[in-house]
Amino acid sequence: MEPIKLNFTATYESLDKYVDQLYNGFVPEVYGKIKTLEYINLIPNVDYSKIIPDLNSTLVWSDGGSCNAFDGAGSTSSFTGRVITTCMKHAEEALCLDEMSQYYFGPFMKNDYKSIPFEESFLRHKEELVAKQLDTFFWNGDGNCLDSITDIAATGGATGLTAVSLSLSTAVSNGIILTIDNVIASLPADYTMEDDLVIFVGRDLFDTYVRSWRNIGNYFVDYKELEGDVLRIPGKSNIRMVATVGLNGKNKGMLGKASFMHWGADKNFQEEGFDGEYNFRLRKYLLRFTTKIGSQVSQPESFVVFTSANTIS
């Protein structure tokens, strides 16, 4: 086999050209890597805040067999404005190519990065990192200007299940299998037949749930339904469990209609939020990613939030 010739050929000029090339494409690439956004709503152009209309309706039926006068009493339709407010976040980095050249072909550069230019492999890695961190902000807040989506739902009237067991099940009557059954049973009756119900959890809880079914042997998991990070709940085919990096290690999850969950961003999908330039004084290449992120739910009373902790946060 012919030996691979490894050369580190990146220059600040080549990096600058690739950054310019990605100027309008970096943000779409990042958002395309966020698992949560495959299911929920992305609301662009939220420069600061935007009101999301939330419709609730009820109908009261009466006997129509006689010529009764019109009676609209009891049936109602109402709109509530759910305000989504974005929080400014940015990340900056000063990159020295002399330092990076020592590690480019080392174990930290995963996959087949040796076969593509450094600038492409480096920024591909950055896209993945930014996507993971934005997803973490969405699910957990930032401790400053951004509230977590679970807190917003819980404060708005979601059903909260606390101090539940999320451990490996040894039977359907304990551990995470029992907890997920109780979460589904807590869903308000008006929403149990919806076709876009999703239980969002971290990858750790997702794996624990799948291994629990495998270990107790009471249900054969059809691996055709196990699509990487997605599994339809056994016995409840209209509910999917989705593993998302933002909830990894957090020991909490959330069930509800995916279409009732909203992710706010400050820019349209195709616009820039990323730039870079070489600084002669520092002798380094400076990179900055900037975005605004916000979260909100419609009809918070339709959600179920669960955690192994004593409080939802």
PDB file of all heavy atoms in Angstrom, residues 8 10-11 14-19 21-22 26 29 33 95 97 104 109 112-128 274:
ATOM      1  N   PHE A   8       1.084  19.713   6.256  1.00  0.00           N
ATOM      2  CA  PHE A   8       0.276  20.798   6.810  1.00  0.00           C
ATOM      3  C   PHE A   8       0.551  22.022   5.950  1.00  0.00           C
ATOM      4  O   PHE A   8       1.609  22.648   6.052  1.00  0.00           O
ATOM      5  CB  PHE A   8       0.663  21.058   8.270  1.00  0.00           C
ATOM      6  CG  PHE A   8      -0.219  22.070   8.948  1.00  0.00           C
ATOM      7  CD1 PHE A   8      -1.384  21.672   9.576  1.00  0.00           C
ATOM      8  CD2 PHE A   8       0.106  23.414   8.932  1.00  0.00           C
ATOM      9  CE1 PHE A   8      -2.208  22.595  10.201  1.00  0.00           C
ATOM     10  CE2 PHE A   8      -0.717  24.345   9.559  1.00  0.00           C
ATOM     11  CZ  PHE A   8      -1.870  23.931  10.193  1.00  0.00           C
ATOM     12  N   ALA A  10      -1.708  24.699   5.410  1.00  0.00           N
ATOM     13  CA  ALA A  10      -2.593  25.845   5.645  1.00  0.00           C
ATOM     14  C   ALA A  10      -1.789  27.121   5.880  1.00  0.00           C
ATOM     15  O   ALA A  10      -0.720  27.115   6.488  1.00  0.00           O
ATOM     16  CB  ALA A  10      -3.487  25.569   6.841  1.00  0.00           C
ATOM     17  N   THR A  11      -2.316  28.223   5.359  1.00  0.00           N
ATOM     18  CA  THR A  11      -1.774  29.551   5.620  1.00  0.00           C
ATOM     19  C   THR A  11      -2.923  30.433   6.094  1.00  0.00           C
ATOM     20  O   THR A  11      -4.100  30.090   5.941  1.00  0.00           O
ATOM     21  CB  THR A  11      -1.167  30.160   4.348  1.00  0.00           C
ATOM     22  OG1 THR A  11      -2.221  30.357   3.388  1.00  0.00           O
ATOM     23  CG2 THR A  11      -0.094  29.251   3.769  1.00  0.00           C
ATOM     24  N   SER A  14      -5.088  31.176   3.133  1.00  0.00           N
ATOM     25  CA  SER A  14      -6.013  30.118   2.725  1.00  0.00           C
ATOM     26  C   SER A  14      -7.173  29.991   3.704  1.00  0.00           C
ATOM     27  O   SER A  14      -8.309  29.716   3.315  1.00  0.00           O
ATOM     28  CB  SER A  14      -5.275  28.787   2.599  1.00  0.00           C
ATOM     29  OG  SER A  14      -4.792  28.341   3.858  1.00  0.00           O
ATOM     30  N   LEU A  15      -6.897  30.197   4.998  1.00  0.00           N
ATOM     31  CA  LEU A  15      -7.960  30.165   6.006  1.00  0.00           C
ATOM     32  C   LEU A  15      -8.928  31.313   5.775  1.00  0.00           C
ATOM     33  O   LEU A  15     -10.148  31.146   5.858  1.00  0.00           O
ATOM     34  CB  LEU A  15      -7.349  30.239   7.401  1.00  0.00           C
ATOM     35  CG  LEU A  15      -8.325  30.172   8.584  1.00  0.00           C
ATOM     36  CD1 LEU A  15      -9.094  28.852   8.574  1.00  0.00           C
ATOM     37  CD2 LEU A  15      -7.578  30.322   9.907  1.00  0.00           C
ATOM     38  N   ASP A  16      -8.392  32.495   5.471  1.00  0.00           N
ATOM     39  CA  ASP A  16      -9.230  33.662   5.244  1.00  0.00           C
ATOM     40  C   ASP A  16     -10.150  33.451   4.036  1.00  0.00           C
ATOM     41  O   ASP A  16     -11.321  33.812   4.066  1.00  0.00           O
ATOM     42  CB  ASP A  16      -8.347  34.889   5.018  1.00  0.00           C
ATOM     43  CG  ASP A  16      -9.097  36.189   5.296  1.00  0.00           C
ATOM     44  OD1 ASP A  16      -9.780  36.267   6.337  1.00  0.00           O
ATOM     45  OD2 ASP A  16      -9.003  37.119   4.485  1.00  0.00           O
ATOM     46  N   LYS A  17      -9.620  32.829   2.997  1.00  0.00           N
ATOM     47  CA  LYS A  17     -10.431  32.569   1.809  1.00  0.00           C
ATOM     48  C   LYS A  17     -11.564  31.596   2.133  1.00  0.00           C
ATOM     49  O   LYS A  17     -12.690  31.766   1.660  1.00  0.00           O
ATOM     50  CB  LYS A  17      -9.553  32.012   0.696  1.00  0.00           C
ATOM     51  CG  LYS A  17      -8.630  33.025   0.057  1.00  0.00           C
ATOM     52  CD  LYS A  17      -7.803  32.389  -1.051  1.00  0.00           C
ATOM     53  CE  LYS A  17      -6.883  33.415  -1.711  1.00  0.00           C
ATOM     54  NZ  LYS A  17      -6.047  32.799  -2.770  1.00  0.00           N
ATOM     55  N   TYR A  18     -11.268  30.601   2.958  1.00  0.00           N
ATOM     56  CA  TYR A  18     -12.320  29.628   3.276  1.00  0.00           C
ATOM     57  C   TYR A  18     -13.362  30.236   4.203  1.00  0.00           C
ATOM     58  O   TYR A  18     -14.557  29.935   4.092  1.00  0.00           O
ATOM     59  CB  TYR A  18     -11.715  28.373   3.908  1.00  0.00           C
ATOM     60  CG  TYR A  18     -12.675  27.210   3.921  1.00  0.00           C
ATOM     61  CD1 TYR A  18     -12.997  26.542   2.740  1.00  0.00           C
ATOM     62  CD2 TYR A  18     -13.291  26.800   5.093  1.00  0.00           C
ATOM     63  CE1 TYR A  18     -13.894  25.498   2.734  1.00  0.00           C
ATOM     64  CE2 TYR A  18     -14.200  25.744   5.095  1.00  0.00           C
ATOM     65  CZ  TYR A  18     -14.491  25.107   3.906  1.00  0.00           C
ATOM     66  OH  TYR A  18     -15.395  24.078   3.905  1.00  0.00           O
ATOM     67  N   VAL A  19     -12.947  31.104   5.120  1.00  0.00           N
ATOM     68  CA  VAL A  19     -13.903  31.806   5.975  1.00  0.00           C
ATOM     69  C   VAL A  19     -14.826  32.676   5.124  1.00  0.00           C
ATOM     70  O   VAL A  19     -16.042  32.714   5.337  1.00  0.00           O
ATOM     71  CB  VAL A  19     -13.174  32.652   7.042  1.00  0.00           C
ATOM     72  CG1 VAL A  19     -14.155  33.597   7.729  1.00  0.00           C
ATOM     73  CG2 VAL A  19     -12.506  31.758   8.070  1.00  0.00           C
ATOM     74  N   GLN A  21     -15.603  32.116   2.084  1.00  0.00           N
ATOM     75  CA  GLN A  21     -16.456  31.187   1.360  1.00  0.00           C
ATOM     76  C   GLN A  21     -17.628  30.714   2.213  1.00  0.00           C
ATOM     77  O   GLN A  21     -18.741  30.521   1.727  1.00  0.00           O
ATOM     78  CB  GLN A  21     -15.622  29.986   0.910  1.00  0.00           C
ATOM     79  CG  GLN A  21     -16.376  28.944   0.115  1.00  0.00           C
ATOM     80  CD  GLN A  21     -15.476  27.781  -0.282  1.00  0.00           C
ATOM     81  OE1 GLN A  21     -14.274  27.953  -0.486  1.00  0.00           O
ATOM     82  NE2 GLN A  21     -16.060  26.604  -0.382  1.00  0.00           N
ATOM     83  N   LEU A  22     -17.387  30.548   3.535  1.00  0.00           N
ATOM     84  CA  LEU A  22     -18.421  30.079   4.446  1.00  0.00           C
ATOM     85  C   LEU A  22     -19.267  31.203   5.032  1.00  0.00           C
ATOM     86  O   LEU A  22     -20.191  30.930   5.797  1.00  0.00           O
ATOM     87  CB  LEU A  22     -17.784  29.315   5.619  1.00  0.00           C
ATOM     88  CG  LEU A  22     -17.297  27.891   5.360  1.00  0.00           C
ATOM     89  CD1 LEU A  22     -16.797  27.290   6.649  1.00  0.00           C
ATOM     90  CD2 LEU A  22     -18.408  27.034   4.787  1.00  0.00           C
ATOM     91  N   PHE A  26     -22.129  29.232   7.043  1.00  0.00           N
ATOM     92  CA  PHE A  26     -21.776  28.652   8.336  1.00  0.00           C
ATOM     93  C   PHE A  26     -23.003  28.454   9.219  1.00  0.00           C
ATOM     94  O   PHE A  26     -23.192  27.391   9.811  1.00  0.00           O
ATOM     95  CB  PHE A  26     -20.764  29.559   9.041  1.00  0.00           C
ATOM     96  CG  PHE A  26     -20.167  28.960  10.295  1.00  0.00           C
ATOM     97  CD1 PHE A  26     -19.103  28.089  10.222  1.00  0.00           C
ATOM     98  CD2 PHE A  26     -20.680  29.276  11.540  1.00  0.00           C
ATOM     99  CE1 PHE A  26     -18.542  27.534  11.362  1.00  0.00           C
ATOM    100  CE2 PHE A  26     -20.139  28.731  12.693  1.00  0.00           C
ATOM    101  CZ  PHE A  26     -19.061  27.855  12.604  1.00  0.00           C
ATOM    102  N   GLU A  29     -25.211  25.563   8.157  1.00  0.00           N
ATOM    103  CA  GLU A  29     -24.546  24.297   8.460  1.00  0.00           C
ATOM    104  C   GLU A  29     -24.673  23.967   9.946  1.00  0.00           C
ATOM    105  O   GLU A  29     -24.902  22.825  10.330  1.00  0.00           O
ATOM    106  CB  GLU A  29     -23.068  24.371   8.058  1.00  0.00           C
ATOM    107  CG  GLU A  29     -22.824  24.282   6.574  1.00  0.00           C
ATOM    108  CD  GLU A  29     -23.201  22.932   5.994  1.00  0.00           C
ATOM    109  OE1 GLU A  29     -23.066  21.914   6.696  1.00  0.00           O
ATOM    110  OE2 GLU A  29     -23.655  22.904   4.837  1.00  0.00           O
ATOM    111  N   LYS A  33     -27.079  20.804  11.975  1.00  0.00           N
ATOM    112  CA  LYS A  33     -26.487  19.768  12.820  1.00  0.00           C
ATOM    113  C   LYS A  33     -27.155  19.678  14.194  1.00  0.00           C
ATOM    114  O   LYS A  33     -26.736  18.871  15.025  1.00  0.00           O
ATOM    115  CB  LYS A  33     -24.989  20.031  12.994  1.00  0.00           C
ATOM    116  CG  LYS A  33     -24.164  19.798  11.726  1.00  0.00           C
ATOM    117  CD  LYS A  33     -22.700  20.131  11.961  1.00  0.00           C
ATOM    118  CE  LYS A  33     -21.829  19.623  10.809  1.00  0.00           C
ATOM    119  NZ  LYS A  33     -22.114  20.274   9.540  1.00  0.00           N
ATOM    120  N   LEU A  95      -6.505  32.029  16.747  1.00  0.00           N
ATOM    121  CA  LEU A  95      -5.927  30.794  16.245  1.00  0.00           C
ATOM    122  C   LEU A  95      -4.511  31.030  15.737  1.00  0.00           C
ATOM    123  O   LEU A  95      -4.270  31.911  14.915  1.00  0.00           O
ATOM    124  CB  LEU A  95      -6.806  30.259  15.113  1.00  0.00           C
ATOM    125  CG  LEU A  95      -6.296  29.044  14.343  1.00  0.00           C
ATOM    126  CD1 LEU A  95      -6.239  27.831  15.256  1.00  0.00           C
ATOM    127  CD2 LEU A  95      -7.196  28.787  13.143  1.00  0.00           C
ATOM    128  N   LEU A  97      -1.614  29.216  13.662  1.00  0.00           N
ATOM    129  CA  LEU A  97      -1.391  28.064  12.794  1.00  0.00           C
ATOM    130  C   LEU A  97      -0.116  27.312  13.146  1.00  0.00           C
ATOM    131  O   LEU A  97      -0.027  26.099  12.954  1.00  0.00           O
ATOM    132  CB  LEU A  97      -1.346  28.508  11.337  1.00  0.00           C
ATOM    133  CG  LEU A  97      -2.678  28.935  10.716  1.00  0.00           C
ATOM    134  CD1 LEU A  97      -2.501  29.267   9.240  1.00  0.00           C
ATOM    135  CD2 LEU A  97      -3.727  27.845  10.870  1.00  0.00           C
ATOM    136  N   TYR A 104      -2.487  18.713  13.858  1.00  0.00           N
ATOM    137  CA  TYR A 104      -3.455  18.501  12.791  1.00  0.00           C
ATOM    138  C   TYR A 104      -3.640  17.020  12.464  1.00  0.00           C
ATOM    139  O   TYR A 104      -4.740  16.542  12.255  1.00  0.00           O
ATOM    140  CB  TYR A 104      -3.028  19.266  11.546  1.00  0.00           C
ATOM    141  CG  TYR A 104      -3.909  19.040  10.344  1.00  0.00           C
ATOM    142  CD1 TYR A 104      -5.294  19.131  10.459  1.00  0.00           C
ATOM    143  CD2 TYR A 104      -3.362  18.752   9.108  1.00  0.00           C
ATOM    144  CE1 TYR A 104      -6.110  18.936   9.363  1.00  0.00           C
ATOM    145  CE2 TYR A 104      -4.170  18.561   8.003  1.00  0.00           C
ATOM    146  CZ  TYR A 104      -5.540  18.652   8.135  1.00  0.00           C
ATOM    147  OH  TYR A 104      -6.340  18.460   7.053  1.00  0.00           O
ATOM    148  N   MET A 109      -7.943  15.035  15.767  1.00  0.00           N
ATOM    149  CA  MET A 109      -8.665  15.332  14.537  1.00  0.00           C
ATOM    150  C   MET A 109      -9.303  14.045  14.044  1.00  0.00           C
ATOM    151  O   MET A 109      -8.653  13.184  13.450  1.00  0.00           O
ATOM    152  CB  MET A 109      -7.718  15.903  13.474  1.00  0.00           C
ATOM    153  CG  MET A 109      -7.003  17.164  13.934  1.00  0.00           C
ATOM    154  SD  MET A 109      -8.130  18.478  14.451  1.00  0.00           S
ATOM    155  CE  MET A 109      -8.800  18.975  12.885  1.00  0.00           C
ATOM    156  N   ASP A 112     -11.785  11.310   8.760  1.00  0.00           N
ATOM    157  CA  ASP A 112     -10.791  11.252   7.694  1.00  0.00           C
ATOM    158  C   ASP A 112     -10.266  12.653   7.380  1.00  0.00           C
ATOM    159  O   ASP A 112     -10.103  13.025   6.224  1.00  0.00           O
ATOM    160  CB  ASP A 112     -11.411  10.612   6.449  1.00  0.00           C
ATOM    161  CG  ASP A 112     -10.361  10.243   5.412  1.00  0.00           C
ATOM    162  OD1 ASP A 112      -9.216   9.982   5.809  1.00  0.00           O
ATOM    163  OD2 ASP A 112     -10.690  10.242   4.219  1.00  0.00           O
ATOM    164  N   TYR A 113      -9.999  13.433   8.399  1.00  0.00           N
ATOM    165  CA  TYR A 113      -9.600  14.819   8.179  1.00  0.00           C
ATOM    166  C   TYR A 113      -8.248  14.951   7.484  1.00  0.00           C
ATOM    167  O   TYR A 113      -7.911  15.995   6.962  1.00  0.00           O
ATOM    168  CB  TYR A 113      -9.572  15.574   9.508  1.00  0.00           C
ATOM    169  CG  TYR A 113     -10.941  15.949  10.021  1.00  0.00           C
ATOM    170  CD1 TYR A 113     -11.112  16.425  11.309  1.00  0.00           C
ATOM    171  CD2 TYR A 113     -12.065  15.825   9.223  1.00  0.00           C
ATOM    172  CE1 TYR A 113     -12.361  16.766  11.796  1.00  0.00           C
ATOM    173  CE2 TYR A 113     -13.316  16.160   9.692  1.00  0.00           C
ATOM    174  CZ  TYR A 113     -13.463  16.640  10.980  1.00  0.00           C
ATOM    175  OH  TYR A 113     -14.693  16.974  11.446  1.00  0.00           O
ATOM    176  N   LYS A 114      -7.440  13.904   7.501  1.00  0.00           N
ATOM    177  CA  LYS A 114      -6.134  13.991   6.859  1.00  0.00           C
ATOM    178  C   LYS A 114      -6.244  14.132   5.342  1.00  0.00           C
ATOM    179  O   LYS A 114      -5.281  14.518   4.680  1.00  0.00           O
ATOM    180  CB  LYS A 114      -5.296  12.759   7.187  1.00  0.00           C
ATOM    181  CG  LYS A 114      -5.867  11.438   6.670  1.00  0.00           C
ATOM    182  CD  LYS A 114      -4.962  10.298   7.052  1.00  0.00           C
ATOM    183  CE  LYS A 114      -5.513   8.957   6.553  1.00  0.00           C
ATOM    184  NZ  LYS A 114      -6.757   8.593   7.267  1.00  0.00           N
ATOM    185  N   SER A 115      -7.427  13.805   4.797  1.00  0.00           N
ATOM    186  CA  SER A 115      -7.592  13.838   3.353  1.00  0.00           C
ATOM    187  C   SER A 115      -8.198  15.139   2.839  1.00  0.00           C
ATOM    188  O   SER A 115      -8.419  15.282   1.649  1.00  0.00           O
ATOM    189  CB  SER A 115      -8.458  12.666   2.894  1.00  0.00           C
ATOM    190  OG  SER A 115      -9.772  12.791   3.421  1.00  0.00           O
ATOM    191  N   ILE A 116      -8.515  16.068   3.730  1.00  0.00           N
ATOM    192  CA  ILE A 116      -9.082  17.348   3.303  1.00  0.00           C
ATOM    193  C   ILE A 116      -8.257  18.486   3.903  1.00  0.00           C
ATOM    194  O   ILE A 116      -7.547  18.299   4.894  1.00  0.00           O
ATOM    195  CB  ILE A 116     -10.563  17.490   3.719  1.00  0.00           C
ATOM    196  CG1 ILE A 116     -10.719  17.393   5.240  1.00  0.00           C
ATOM    197  CG2 ILE A 116     -11.416  16.447   3.027  1.00  0.00           C
ATOM    198  CD1 ILE A 116     -12.153  17.567   5.695  1.00  0.00           C
ATOM    199  N   PRO A 117      -8.317  19.685   3.309  1.00  0.00           N
ATOM    200  CA  PRO A 117      -7.502  20.796   3.806  1.00  0.00           C
ATOM    201  C   PRO A 117      -7.803  21.122   5.260  1.00  0.00           C
ATOM    202  O   PRO A 117      -8.921  20.931   5.743  1.00  0.00           O
ATOM    203  CB  PRO A 117      -7.906  21.960   2.885  1.00  0.00           C
ATOM    204  CG  PRO A 117      -8.455  21.311   1.665  1.00  0.00           C
ATOM    205  CD  PRO A 117      -9.102  20.043   2.128  1.00  0.00           C
ATOM    206  N   PHE A 118      -6.792  21.654   5.938  1.00  0.00           N
ATOM    207  CA  PHE A 118      -6.935  21.981   7.353  1.00  0.00           C
ATOM    208  C   PHE A 118      -8.096  22.924   7.600  1.00  0.00           C
ATOM    209  O   PHE A 118      -8.896  22.716   8.516  1.00  0.00           O
ATOM    210  CB  PHE A 118      -5.650  22.623   7.879  1.00  0.00           C
ATOM    211  CG  PHE A 118      -5.834  23.305   9.210  1.00  0.00           C
ATOM    212  CD1 PHE A 118      -5.895  22.556  10.378  1.00  0.00           C
ATOM    213  CD2 PHE A 118      -6.005  24.678   9.294  1.00  0.00           C
ATOM    214  CE1 PHE A 118      -6.091  23.171  11.597  1.00  0.00           C
ATOM    215  CE2 PHE A 118      -6.197  25.296  10.508  1.00  0.00           C
ATOM    216  CZ  PHE A 118      -6.244  24.544  11.662  1.00  0.00           C
ATOM    217  N   GLU A 119      -8.211  23.992   6.805  1.00  0.00           N
ATOM    218  CA  GLU A 119      -9.235  25.001   7.079  1.00  0.00           C
ATOM    219  C   GLU A 119     -10.640  24.407   7.009  1.00  0.00           C
ATOM    220  O   GLU A 119     -11.513  24.766   7.799  1.00  0.00           O
ATOM    221  CB  GLU A 119      -9.102  26.196   6.119  1.00  0.00           C
ATOM    222  CG  GLU A 119      -8.970  25.841   4.666  1.00  0.00           C
ATOM    223  CD  GLU A 119      -7.513  25.697   4.248  1.00  0.00           C
ATOM    224  OE1 GLU A 119      -6.658  25.407   5.102  1.00  0.00           O
ATOM    225  OE2 GLU A 119      -7.237  25.882   3.061  1.00  0.00           O
ATOM    226  N   GLU A 120     -10.852  23.464   6.098  1.00  0.00           N
ATOM    227  CA  GLU A 120     -12.162  22.837   5.998  1.00  0.00           C
ATOM    228  C   GLU A 120     -12.424  21.918   7.184  1.00  0.00           C
ATOM    229  O   GLU A 120     -13.505  21.934   7.776  1.00  0.00           O
ATOM    230  CB  GLU A 120     -12.285  22.057   4.697  1.00  0.00           C
ATOM    231  CG  GLU A 120     -13.659  21.435   4.482  1.00  0.00           C
ATOM    232  CD  GLU A 120     -13.789  20.731   3.158  1.00  0.00           C
ATOM    233  OE1 GLU A 120     -12.912  20.910   2.288  1.00  0.00           O
ATOM    234  OE2 GLU A 120     -14.778  19.998   2.983  1.00  0.00           O
ATOM    235  N   SER A 121     -11.439  21.100   7.542  1.00  0.00           N
ATOM    236  CA  SER A 121     -11.623  20.179   8.665  1.00  0.00           C
ATOM    237  C   SER A 121     -11.798  20.941   9.975  1.00  0.00           C
ATOM    238  O   SER A 121     -12.615  20.572  10.824  1.00  0.00           O
ATOM    239  CB  SER A 121     -10.433  19.225   8.776  1.00  0.00           C
ATOM    240  OG  SER A 121      -9.242  19.909   9.072  1.00  0.00           O
ATOM    241  N   PHE A 122     -11.046  22.033  10.150  1.00  0.00           N
ATOM    242  CA  PHE A 122     -11.125  22.818  11.379  1.00  0.00           C
ATOM    243  C   PHE A 122     -12.499  23.452  11.526  1.00  0.00           C
ATOM    244  O   PHE A 122     -13.127  23.386  12.602  1.00  0.00           O
ATOM    245  CB  PHE A 122     -10.036  23.896  11.357  1.00  0.00           C
ATOM    246  CG  PHE A 122     -10.071  24.814  12.551  1.00  0.00           C
ATOM    247  CD1 PHE A 122      -9.633  24.379  13.793  1.00  0.00           C
ATOM    248  CD2 PHE A 122     -10.538  26.112  12.437  1.00  0.00           C
ATOM    249  CE1 PHE A 122      -9.660  25.216  14.898  1.00  0.00           C
ATOM    250  CE2 PHE A 122     -10.573  26.954  13.529  1.00  0.00           C
ATOM    251  CZ  PHE A 122     -10.133  26.511  14.764  1.00  0.00           C
ATOM    252  N   LEU A 123     -13.007  24.054  10.466  1.00  0.00           N
ATOM    253  CA  LEU A 123     -14.290  24.747  10.559  1.00  0.00           C
ATOM    254  C   LEU A 123     -15.462  23.770  10.564  1.00  0.00           C
ATOM    255  O   LEU A 123     -16.506  24.064  11.130  1.00  0.00           O
ATOM    256  CB  LEU A 123     -14.424  25.765   9.434  1.00  0.00           C
ATOM    257  CG  LEU A 123     -13.462  26.950   9.599  1.00  0.00           C
ATOM    258  CD1 LEU A 123     -13.469  27.840   8.374  1.00  0.00           C
ATOM    259  CD2 LEU A 123     -13.796  27.763  10.839  1.00  0.00           C
ATOM    260  N   ARG A 124     -15.280  22.585   9.982  1.00  0.00           N
ATOM    261  CA  ARG A 124     -16.299  21.546  10.111  1.00  0.00           C
ATOM    262  C   ARG A 124     -16.425  21.125  11.582  1.00  0.00           C
ATOM    263  O   ARG A 124     -17.522  20.915  12.093  1.00  0.00           O
ATOM    264  CB  ARG A 124     -15.939  20.354   9.242  1.00  0.00           C
ATOM    265  CG  ARG A 124     -17.009  19.279   9.194  1.00  0.00           C
ATOM    266  CD  ARG A 124     -16.572  18.123   8.324  1.00  0.00           C
ATOM    267  NE  ARG A 124     -16.398  18.513   6.922  1.00  0.00           N
ATOM    268  CZ  ARG A 124     -15.958  17.672   5.986  1.00  0.00           C
ATOM    269  NH1 ARG A 124     -15.650  16.431   6.307  1.00  0.00           N
ATOM    270  NH2 ARG A 124     -15.841  18.087   4.736  1.00  0.00           N
ATOM    271  N   HIS A 125     -15.286  21.006  12.228  1.00  0.00           N
ATOM    272  CA  HIS A 125     -15.266  20.687  13.659  1.00  0.00           C
ATOM    273  C   HIS A 125     -15.956  21.795  14.460  1.00  0.00           C
ATOM    274  O   HIS A 125     -16.712  21.521  15.405  1.00  0.00           O
ATOM    275  CB  HIS A 125     -13.826  20.511  14.123  1.00  0.00           C
ATOM    276  CG  HIS A 125     -13.656  20.409  15.596  1.00  0.00           C
ATOM    277  ND1 HIS A 125     -14.032  19.297  16.327  1.00  0.00           N
ATOM    278  CD2 HIS A 125     -13.171  21.297  16.509  1.00  0.00           C
ATOM    279  CE1 HIS A 125     -13.774  19.492  17.604  1.00  0.00           C
ATOM    280  NE2 HIS A 125     -13.252  20.695  17.741  1.00  0.00           N
ATOM    281  N   LYS A 126     -15.718  23.061  14.095  1.00  0.00           N
ATOM    282  CA  LYS A 126     -16.329  24.191  14.802  1.00  0.00           C
ATOM    283  C   LYS A 126     -17.846  24.184  14.626  1.00  0.00           C
ATOM    284  O   LYS A 126     -18.587  24.509  15.558  1.00  0.00           O
ATOM    285  CB  LYS A 126     -15.745  25.517  14.302  1.00  0.00           C
ATOM    286  CG  LYS A 126     -14.344  25.790  14.794  1.00  0.00           C
ATOM    287  CD  LYS A 126     -14.315  25.904  16.304  1.00  0.00           C
ATOM    288  CE  LYS A 126     -12.908  26.110  16.810  1.00  0.00           C
ATOM    289  NZ  LYS A 126     -12.846  26.126  18.286  1.00  0.00           N
ATOM    290  N   GLU A 127     -18.321  23.840  13.441  1.00  0.00           N
ATOM    291  CA  GLU A 127     -19.763  23.771  13.208  1.00  0.00           C
ATOM    292  C   GLU A 127     -20.411  22.775  14.173  1.00  0.00           C
ATOM    293  O   GLU A 127     -21.450  23.057  14.770  1.00  0.00           O
ATOM    294  CB  GLU A 127     -20.040  23.346  11.768  1.00  0.00           C
ATOM    295  CG  GLU A 127     -19.711  24.399  10.737  1.00  0.00           C
ATOM    296  CD  GLU A 127     -19.738  23.857   9.331  1.00  0.00           C
ATOM    297  OE1 GLU A 127     -19.904  22.637   9.161  1.00  0.00           O
ATOM    298  OE2 GLU A 127     -19.581  24.661   8.391  1.00  0.00           O
ATOM    299  N   GLU A 128     -19.790  21.620  14.334  1.00  0.00           N
ATOM    300  CA  GLU A 128     -20.326  20.606  15.234  1.00  0.00           C
ATOM    301  C   GLU A 128     -20.317  21.099  16.680  1.00  0.00           C
ATOM    302  O   GLU A 128     -21.280  20.891  17.430  1.00  0.00           O
ATOM    303  CB  GLU A 128     -19.502  19.325  15.116  1.00  0.00           C
ATOM    304  CG  GLU A 128     -19.602  18.662  13.752  1.00  0.00           C
ATOM    305  CD  GLU A 128     -18.627  17.507  13.603  1.00  0.00           C
ATOM    306  OE1 GLU A 128     -17.826  17.290  14.538  1.00  0.00           O
ATOM    307  OE2 GLU A 128     -18.670  16.828  12.554  1.00  0.00           O
ATOM    308  N   PHE A 274     -20.988  34.822  11.336  1.00  0.00           N
ATOM    309  CA  PHE A 274     -19.667  34.239  11.460  1.00  0.00           C
ATOM    310  C   PHE A 274     -18.692  35.030  10.599  1.00  0.00           C
ATOM    311  O   PHE A 274     -18.990  35.382   9.465  1.00  0.00           O
ATOM    312  CB  PHE A 274     -19.745  32.783  10.992  1.00  0.00           C
ATOM    313  CG  PHE A 274     -18.423  32.143  10.698  1.00  0.00           C
ATOM    314  CD1 PHE A 274     -17.606  31.742  11.737  1.00  0.00           C
ATOM    315  CD2 PHE A 274     -18.013  31.927   9.393  1.00  0.00           C
ATOM    316  CE1 PHE A 274     -16.387  31.138  11.468  1.00  0.00           C
ATOM    317  CE2 PHE A 274     -16.808  31.325   9.120  1.00  0.00           C
ATOM    318  CZ  PHE A 274     -15.991  30.928  10.158  1.00  0.00           C
TER     319      PHE A 274
END
